[in-house]
Amino acid sequence: MPIPKATFKLLSPEALPCKPILMIGLPISNATWAESMSHILIHNLLYASTSTYMNGGSDYEDKLKHLLSLKGDDLLLLANDHVASTIVSETQIYYPKSYDVNKEQLRQLEKEDYQAVIVDDTCFIREPDLTAFVMKHYAKGASVAVMAIEGIFDLSALNRKFQVNWKNAGYTKRSIELNYLGKQILDEAFPSNHQYVKANFIVGGGELFTEYLCPEDYDDEEDYPDGPPPPTPGSPVITSLGESKSVSYFGFVNPLDVSYGAILLKLCYAKAPHHSPTSTVAETTKVLVPRKKLQSVPDLLARGDEESTPAESLKSKILWMIFLMLLFYISFDLFLRKKEVSDDYSGESEL
């Protein structure tokens, strides 16, 4: 699978090393999975504080080119040799016969701080020890990405843990493209054109994809007088952004459809835009405008608008006086007209 070089923008020397990204309990012990997660593996090899890959040299460009040329199994060997603490596959975290969590392994992993923790969708349902581990690091500032490995449709456990409101809208195939938020967060990690994918589609806020509807399919005005229908709700990737971290759900189920690692790497660094100096996400700033107090007309005439400047207050007084004088004139004129009509009617009656 080709890996876009643009995904690996070299960090400045003072920014290195960075916290590693932990992948735990995933079936990443084979070449196919390593290939699909290659972006994460390369990132950890180059930048993680736990990595020994860069020892004795600092030529990132040459080493990056070398890593990009490697196949999945070669990358996995390097990652295991140099950053073993950031890749803990399901065969390492679970005992083979009982399939219980290796608590000693967890205690060793707890000593490190992580940029993000990537787990599968069974973690928050079947593994309380692993859940506690993930939530502890989330509380310390790590982002969390949940992958739909088993295809768990019930997301209530995630909703409770992370205060989100996500629901599974369907497990299906669909043509999708990035929406505005998706373009800002994922950028070059996903192709600029639409892709036909199989995935778990999620709704609930923070969707990064929308259904692609080909305009040519809806040209017939008789069948589609109002044009294309609205896109079907749901996105394979959904995220909730925090001040310095995020929690995301990754619903793709075929690594041949898209590059898993490229998208997950972006999610690991996703956070609210105003806390990211390099983010291009448009910020929406809410300005609270105090409501003016209601004042009676006498108060306005006596004191003016209490929330206005002196000049505005004087102008308001003058306008109100003109309005009241005009109102008085019209009322008085109507009174006189009515009186004249009444007098005329009385005179006619006497005759």
Side-chain angles (χ1 to χ4, degrees):
M1 182 180 296
I3 304 171
K5 185 178 178 181
T7 301
F8 297 95
K9 296 177 181 178
L10 300 182
L11 304 179
S12 58
E14 59 271 16
L16 298 172
C18 55
K19 296 178 183 178
I21 296 170
L22 173 65
M23 294 176 285
I24 184 168
L26 305 177
I28 197 170
S29 56
N30 59 64
T32 302
W33 259 91
E35 185 79 14
S36 67
M37 303 291 282
S38 56
H39 288 72
I40 305 291
L41 300 180
I42 293 176
H43 175 273
N44 277 347
L45 282 165
L46 287 175
Y47 305 134
S49 56
T50 55
S51 175
T52 59
Y53 180 71
M54 295 303 299
N55 288 359
S58 58
D59 193 346
Y60 286 91
E61 284 282 2
D62 288 343
K63 293 200 171 186
L64 173 59
K65 291 178 182 178
H66 173 64
L67 292 175
L68 291 173
S69 68
L70 296 179
K71 295 182 179 180
D73 50 357
D74 295 325
L75 276 175
L76 187 58
L77 287 173
L78 277 179
N80 285 330
D81 289 341
H82 293 283
V83 285
S85 66
T86 61
I87 306 169
V88 184
S89 69
E90 58 181 355
T91 58
Q92 295 172 299
I93 197 61
Y94 300 116
Y95 291 114
K97 293 183 179 180
S98 64
Y99 215 66
D100 293 332
V101 173
N102 186 336
K103 296 182 180 180
E104 179 58 32
Q105 179 78 280
L106 284 183
R107 281 192 287 269
Q108 293 299 319
L109 292 171
E110 284 181 352
K111 299 177 181 179
E112 184 68 56
D113 288 333
Y114 302 101
Q115 171 64 34
V117 180
I118 303 174
V119 295
D120 72 1
D121 51 355
T122 64
C123 168
F124 297 94
I125 297 177
R126 305 173 186 169
E127 308 298 344
D129 293 322
L130 196 52
T131 297
F133 171 86
V134 173
M135 297 308 299
K136 179 179 180 180
H137 284 278
Y138 180 72
K140 291 170 62 178
S143 293
V144 174
V146 181
M147 297 185 69
I149 305 298
E150 298 293 334
I152 304 298
F153 294 156
D154 183 3
L155 305 182
S156 57
L158 291 179
N159 293 339
R160 290 192 300 271
K161 292 293 183 182
F162 299 103
Q163 303 300 307
V164 293
N165 189 31
W166 296 341
K167 296 179 181 179
N168 192 301
Y171 172 59
T172 184
K173 291 183 177 180
R174 191 181 299 172
S175 289
I176 61 168
E177 61 183 350
L178 291 169
N179 59 20
Y180 178 77
L181 180 62
K183 291 177 182 178
Q184 309 311 308
I185 293 178
L186 299 184
D187 196 14
E188 76 280 358
F190 189 83
S192 57
N193 57 331
H194 62 277
Q195 299 289 308
Y196 188 67
V197 301
K198 187 174 185 180
N200 291 285
F201 287 84
I202 310 300
V203 296
E207 292 90 339
L208 302 188
F209 293 90
T210 186
E211 182 183 18
Y212 171 77
L213 299 174
C214 181
E216 298 177 356
D217 294 341
Y218 305 93
D219 285 343
D220 193 329
E221 294 184 359
E222 293 184 1
D223 294 336
Y224 303 100
D226 299 325
T232 306
S235 168
V237 180
I238 192 168
T239 186
S240 175
L241 303 176
E243 294 183 357
S244 59
K245 59 187 177 183
S246 63
V247 56
S248 305
Y249 180 89
F250 184 93
F252 290 110
V253 298
N254 187 351
L256 298 179
D257 289 342
V258 295
S259 174
Y260 279 13
I263 295 174
L264 285 164
L265 182 59
K266 292 288 187 177
L267 295 176
C268 289
Y269 282 89
K271 56 185 176 182
H274 57 285
H275 293 279
S276 176
T278 59
S279 174
T280 57
V281 180
E283 296 182 39
T284 302
T285 304
K286 294 183 179 179
V287 180
L288 296 178
V289 180
R291 296 179 61 186
K292 290 188 175 183
K293 297 178 181 179
L294 295 177
Q295 291 178 264
S296 64
V297 172
D299 282 343
L300 283 169
L301 291 175
R303 298 194 296 269
D305 189 343
E306 295 176 348
E307 296 181 23
S308 303
T309 62
E312 291 174 338
S313 179
L314 178 61
K315 184 178 179 180
S316 177
K317 285 182 179 180
I318 294 174
L319 290 174
W320 272 108
M321 290 179 67
I322 293 173
F323 172 76
L324 290 176
M325 289 175 65
L326 181 62
L327 183 63
F328 176 79
Y329 173 80
I330 294 173
S331 300
F332 186 73
D333 183 70
L334 290 173
F335 171 78
L336 292 177
R337 288 174 182 272
K338 186 176 181 181
K339 188 175 185 303
E340 289 177 359
V341 171
S342 177
D343 290 342
D344 291 342
Y345 180 79
S346 299
E348 291 177 358
S349 297
E350 293 175 0
L351 293 175

